[in-house]
Amino acid sequence: MRFASLGSGSKGNATLIESDEALVLVDCGFGLRDALARMALLGIDPTRIDALLVTHEHGDHLRGVRSLAKRLKLPVYLTAGTWLAGRLEGLERVHLINPEQRFAIKDLEIDPVTVPHDAREPVQYLFEAAGRRLGVLTDLGHVTDHVRRRFRDCDGLLLECNHDLRMLAEGPYPPSLKRRVGGHWGHLANAQAVALLRHWGTDRLQRVIASHLSDKNNRPELAFEALEPLLDNDASRLMIAAQDRGIGWQRLDRTVERVL
């Protein structure tokens, strides 16, 4: 299994996941032309994509879904709540999914997991193929026991590090937006991501991708400094998904016991 990010942040999000048989795109928060250009930089022929999966209806995840799905005649998988809130009428191939109910696209097993976020029926996704397990976990205000249980034992993880608590408190957002971002239905802070990784332990994790960083309330070096010590200070296991360029292809090897 391998994965790549087209870009991650408040201006747009999209993630490619590829198994031996399947290629899927999670969200498309970029306009059609921009999304296709970003795929080209990753060496992807967009006609190879098997499906488009949507996490929730916010514009930075949904903006390009309709146009890309229509252009490529893609099936779109999303919850009923996201469908109703997203105003995606006119799509020809819509698959309504139930949170916590596994489905498959070719050899790729997919679990939509319920998360706390201020959207109609949001989910994040777990992917399994060929003995490897990848988690896409962004856009949640706090880590529930359910999230801890469902996303444990991943080989790769795209994990939200939206804001630094001090930068958010002292930053330019109005008080109402600060409460929304930092609240139980908003976004994860660096410190919350650290606590989650510490709870799990990181021996199995081959790659951690700090994702959905705010350009106003976080800095890549702050996220990196927070997470790297939990990965044995092995910088090769940690990357920051940038808004303008995402990350290039990352491959997950078959699960092996790490030598301590």
Side-chain angles (χ1 to χ4, degrees):
M1 184 191 296
R2 67 174 188 161
F3 64 95
S5 169
L6 275 63
S8 182
S10 59
K11 296 182 177 69
N13 297 271
T15 305
L16 285 163
I17 294 101
E18 186 174 32
S19 61
D20 289 339
E21 299 176 6
L23 176 64
V24 302
L25 181 67
V26 178
D27 291 333
C28 187
F30 303 103
L32 177 62
R33 183 177 299 178
D34 192 9
L36 293 176
R38 289 169 184 256
M39 289 183 208
L41 291 174
L42 291 167
I44 286 295
D45 175 358
T47 63
R48 292 182 49 230
I49 297 174
D50 293 296
L52 206 169
L53 282 58
V54 181
T55 59
H56 63 294
E57 70 271 14
H58 291 165
D60 57 328
H61 297 261
L62 194 75
R63 187 173 297 114
V65 167
R66 183 202 299 270
S67 57
L68 188 67
K70 283 190 171 184
R71 168 69 69 87
L72 301 176
K73 296 181 172 51
L74 289 174
V76 178
Y77 291 74
L78 72 177
T79 65
T82 299
W83 166 252
L84 290 170
R87 299 179 179 179
L88 293 170
E89 296 84 357
L91 294 181
E92 295 179 2
R93 303 173 66 190
V94 174
H95 296 261
L96 297 182
I97 60 174
N98 295 316
E100 309 304 327
Q101 186 170 316
R102 176 174 283 207
F103 62 98
I105 297 174
K106 296 182 176 176
D107 66 337
L108 194 60
E109 300 285 337
I110 304 168
D111 287 299
V113 181
T114 299
V115 296
H117 191 51
D118 56 356
R120 181 74 174 267
E121 194 178 14
V123 293
Q124 295 292 305
Y125 291 102
L126 282 163
F127 299 89
E128 291 189 26
R132 286 152 290 184
R133 180 174 165 92
L134 172 68
V136 177
L137 184 58
T138 67
D139 294 80
L140 67 164
H142 67 284
V143 178
T144 62
D145 288 340
H146 178 69
V147 166
R148 289 189 190 94
R149 183 172 63 254
R150 297 291 276 115
F151 281 86
R152 68 185 303 172
D153 297 328
C154 285
D155 301 290
L157 183 66
L158 288 90
L159 177 61
E160 181 168 49
C161 293
N162 176 259
H163 58 278
D164 171 79
L165 292 171
R166 181 172 179 176
M167 285 189 68
L168 178 64
E170 298 176 356
Y173 282 3
S176 60
L177 186 52
K178 290 181 180 182
R179 288 192 296 270
R180 183 256 165 183
V181 170
H184 264 33
W185 302 93
H187 294 277
L188 286 190
N190 295 342
Q192 291 170 294
V194 166
L196 181 58
L197 291 179
R198 187 172 287 133
H199 172 81
W200 283 327
T202 61
D203 285 347
R204 178 166 170 161
L205 280 166
Q206 300 174 33
R207 292 286 187 278
V208 175
I209 313 299
S211 303
H212 214 302
L213 272 68
S214 168
D215 60 356
K216 299 262 193 314
N217 302 304
N218 207 356
R219 295 197 302 271
E221 59 268 26
L222 292 178
F224 199 93
E225 290 167 4
L227 298 183
E228 188 186 22
L230 300 177
L231 298 165
D232 303 321
N233 293 304
D234 181 355
S236 69
R237 298 168 65 196
L238 176 62
M239 299 184 71
I240 308 294
Q243 179 68 89
D244 58 345
R245 62 186 182 278
I247 57 164
W249 287 105
Q250 305 296 309
R251 187 173 297 278
L252 297 178
D253 298 324
R254 290 186 182 275
T255 302
V256 296
E257 293 295 327
R258 288 176 54 81
V259 178
L260 301 178

